[in-house]
């Protein structure tokens, strides 16, 4: 199994600025199938940039009806269905994604839903798909129907919190996770409504006790504060290996010891986007001392 991050930015200003990419992540070779999770802006382009192919996907998962999580879902569905010519693939997501809820969504049209199996996930809803099970997990976020998941493929459990505040009972939804992937918008112990900060993630790790924890979906304050340093602090305090994902990070998963999974950096030097990708990685941000907050039309 392989987990590849096609974007580790999150929130409206990281998305607008593209200080980090916002393509979500893929889980490949999950019982022989490939899935794209929260395909935000750039998911299709980043897929090709990092040498992957959207046409070999078996499904997409969209956690909720915010643009940085769903914007490229329909084009990936077209890739799965060979241009909407074949009945194949699965689409998983929240009520707002499929049906709309108040001012949120829908995010996937009836046309794009028509060729694939549709699974509306809610907290504690469990569905068996292609040899594994996926359980919806509760979130508390701006979209009240938002949902995370826990995948159980028999030998390994992967949990994804999606966007959520920390709340009593969150750890119970992700109990038993071997790999815990969390959207962590801000550093330290200061957060905003509907999102996690580093301290929240630390607390969640202490409760869930995964073998490997991964933080992603960084806002500008987190990017400026150094996600790698935040992850190292969490590792030291929890004694559980915690990674700050970066754009193009790929993990070959070690089933017996996920904390020893092999990490690779995917790059495509022939791509016209390669230079831009280098400029927006965290390492280059540090090198160039790009710690400024987002400014738009500063001189106006």
């Amino acid at each position: 199994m392989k987990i590849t991050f096609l974007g580790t930015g999150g929130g409206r200003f990281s998305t607008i600025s593209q200080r980090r990419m916002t393509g979500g992540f893929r889980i490949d070779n999950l019982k022989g199938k490939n899935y794209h999770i929260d395909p935000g802006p750039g998911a299709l382009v980043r897929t090709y940039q990092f040498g992957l192919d959207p046409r070999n996907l078996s499904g997409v998962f969209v956690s909720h009806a915010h643009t940085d999580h769903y914007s490229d879902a329909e084009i990936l569905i077209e890739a799965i269905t060979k241009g909407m010519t074949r009945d194949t693939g699965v689409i998983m997501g929240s009520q707002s994604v499929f049906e709309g809820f108040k001012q949120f969504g829908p995010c996937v049209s009836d046309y794009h839903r028509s060729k694939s199996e549709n699974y509306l996930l809610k907290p504690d809803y469990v569905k068996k798909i292609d040899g594994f099970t996926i359980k919806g997990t509760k979130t508390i976020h701006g979209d009240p129907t938002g949902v995370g998941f826990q995948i159980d493929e028999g030998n390994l459990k992967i949990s994804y919190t999606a966007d959520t505040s920390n709340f009593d009972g969150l750890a119970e939804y992700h109990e038993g996770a071997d790999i815990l992937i969390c959207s962590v918008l801000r550093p330290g112990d200061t957060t905003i409504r509907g999102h996690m900060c580093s301290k929240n993630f630390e607390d969640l790790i202490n409760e869930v006790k995964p073998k490997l924890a991964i933080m992603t979906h960084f806002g500008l304050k987190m990017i400026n504060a150094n996600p790698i340093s935040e992850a190292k602090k969490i590792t030291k305090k929890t004694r559980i290996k915690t990674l700050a994902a970066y754009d193009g990070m790929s993990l070959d998963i070690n089933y017996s010891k996920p904390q020893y999974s092999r990490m690779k950096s995917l790059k495509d030097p022939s791509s016209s986007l390669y230079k831009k990708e280098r400029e927006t990685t965290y390492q280059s941000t540090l090198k160039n001392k790009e710690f400024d907050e987002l400014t738009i039309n500063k001189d106006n």
Side-chain angles (χ1 to χ4, degrees):
M1 184 191 299
K2 183 178 294 184
I3 301 176
T4 303
F5 290 85
L6 303 175
T8 55
R12 64 196 69 184
F13 295 115
S14 282
T15 302
I16 292 167
S17 68
Q18 287 293 292
R19 283 279 297 277
R20 288 287 186 103
M21 300 173 190
T22 50
F25 64 97
R26 279 177 56 137
I27 301 177
D28 286 274
N29 197 22
L30 174 58
K31 294 294 186 179
K33 305 284 186 174
N34 308 322
Y35 299 88
H36 200 126
I37 290 84
D38 277 349
L44 176 69
V45 174
R46 302 307 182 186
T47 297
Y48 283 114
Q49 178 180 351
F50 291 123
L52 302 174
D53 193 335
R55 293 167 296 185
N56 66 17
L57 288 170
S58 301
V60 296
F61 170 85
V62 183
S63 62
H64 64 287
H66 284 163
T67 315
D68 53 336
H69 294 261
Y70 75 76
S71 70
D72 276 20
E74 290 182 337
I75 192 62
L76 292 184
I77 292 167
E78 293 200 18
I80 292 168
T81 59
K82 307 300 184 286
M84 298 299 291
T85 64
R86 298 185 186 178
D87 294 324
T88 187
V90 298
I91 307 168
M92 301 168 279
S94 67
Q95 179 183 345
S96 57
V97 170
F98 288 120
E99 302 170 356
F101 182 82
K102 296 184 178 180
Q103 73 267 38
F104 300 102
C107 307
V108 180
S109 70
D110 290 343
Y111 169 69
H112 287 96
R113 292 175 57 187
S114 64
K115 297 291 185 179
S116 303
E117 294 291 330
N118 297 182
Y119 300 125
L120 194 163
L121 293 184
K122 295 182 178 181
D124 292 317
Y125 174 81
V126 179
K127 180 68 181 180
K128 187 169 184 179
I129 304 171
D130 295 330
F132 66 90
T133 60
I134 183 168
K135 177 187 74 174
T137 62
K138 182 179 177 179
T139 69
I140 295 180
H141 190 53
D143 176 351
T145 74
V147 63
F149 65 69
Q150 184 174 86
I151 287 172
D152 184 352
E153 61 87 73
N155 297 309
L156 190 78
K157 288 184 179 181
I158 301 173
S159 269
Y160 172 53
T161 65
D163 282 0
T164 183
S165 296
N166 194 21
F167 61 88
D168 290 340
L170 177 61
E172 295 175 14
Y173 284 100
H174 300 281
E175 183 178 2
D178 297 295
I179 300 174
L180 177 63
I181 303 172
C182 183
S183 296
V184 184
L185 194 75
R186 288 195 170 185
D189 59 1
T190 302
T191 190
I192 58 175
R193 183 179 178 184
H195 293 279
M196 301 272 278
C197 65
S198 297
K199 182 61 168 64
N200 295 149
F201 192 33
E202 176 189 325
D203 293 341
L204 183 62
I205 291 170
N206 279 327
E207 289 190 76
V208 175
K209 300 189 183 306
K211 294 169 182 163
L212 175 65
I214 306 172
M215 51 196 287
T216 186
H217 200 67
F218 306 133
L220 289 180
K221 290 184 183 296
M222 174 65 87
I223 294 169
N224 293 337
N226 187 340
I228 295 172
S229 292
E230 293 292 297
K232 287 181 177 178
K233 292 175 187 175
I234 294 172
T235 298
K236 185 176 181 179
K237 290 180 179 179
T238 64
R239 300 194 177 190
I240 291 173
K241 185 173 182 180
T242 302
L243 299 177
Y246 58 85
D247 299 342
M249 184 179 87
S250 184
L251 292 173
D252 287 324
I253 301 302
N254 183 322
Y255 280 79
S256 60
K257 295 182 178 180
Q259 64 272 32
Y260 297 128
S261 296
R262 182 184 176 193
M263 183 190 301
K264 295 188 294 185
S265 294
L266 301 182
K267 296 188 184 299
D268 179 8
S270 66
S271 170
S272 61
L273 291 170
Y274 180 58
K275 183 175 183 295
K276 181 63 176 175
E277 187 271 334
R278 286 188 304 170
E279 290 172 351
T280 57
T281 59
Y282 179 71
Q283 290 82 353
S284 293
T285 299
L286 272 182
K287 181 179 178 181
N288 298 321
K289 298 181 179 180
E290 296 172 352
F291 300 112
D292 57 299
E293 287 289 333
L294 175 69
T295 56
I296 301 176
N297 296 329
K298 184 176 180 180
D299 296 330
N300 292 345

